[in-house]
Amino acid sequence: EKYPQTIGFEGVSSSYLLDNIQKSVDLLKKGSVDYEFRTTFVPGLHTKDDILAITRWLKPAKRFYLQNFRPEKTLDPNLSALRPFQADELADWLGLIAPFFDTVQIR
């Protein structure tokens, strides 16, 4: 639901973007091509509720990788002062979503 905001396309219809993403998700899950899903979580933009919503949307699936935000690798200089999530917080989230994917890891 926060995808337009996350990628900086707040003026674009959320339903348009999400419909196209859903088509890609469906193709991957039905096809024979190996795949993985991953989400980079940004403090102040993503919450525990967001990871749960993404899990409900994608489950069941082969692999999901939870990536922590890295301020030194951001294209938006306004985000460079943000502190990444704590490792124990990500580990807690990982425990919540693990039952819904074959493989779940933190990257």
Side-chain angles (χ1 to χ4, degrees), residues 7-65:
I7 64 169
F9 279 68
E10 294 175 82
V12 177
S13 165
S14 176
S15 62
Y16 171 78
L17 287 173
L18 294 177
D19 287 347
N20 284 311
I21 294 168
Q22 185 63 56
K23 288 177 188 175
S24 296
V25 167
D26 293 342
L27 281 171
L28 288 170
K29 289 170 88 173
K30 290 178 187 174
S32 59
V33 180
D34 199 23
Y35 69 91
E36 69 181 43
F37 296 114
R38 63 180 176 226
T39 301
T40 301
F41 276 78
V42 181
L45 185 58
H46 297 109
T47 66
K48 176 182 167 184
D49 289 338
D50 294 321
I51 184 68
L52 295 174
I54 291 168
T55 299
R56 283 190 298 273
W57 176 43
L58 294 176
K59 73 175 186 177
K62 289 183 183 181
R63 286 182 296 281
F64 183 82
Y65 293 93

Side-chain angles (χ1 to χ4, degrees), residues 83-98:
R83 294 176 50 145
F85 288 104
Q86 296 294 316
D88 60 337
E89 188 172 19
L90 292 176
D92 287 344
W93 292 355
L94 201 68
L96 292 174
I97 66 173

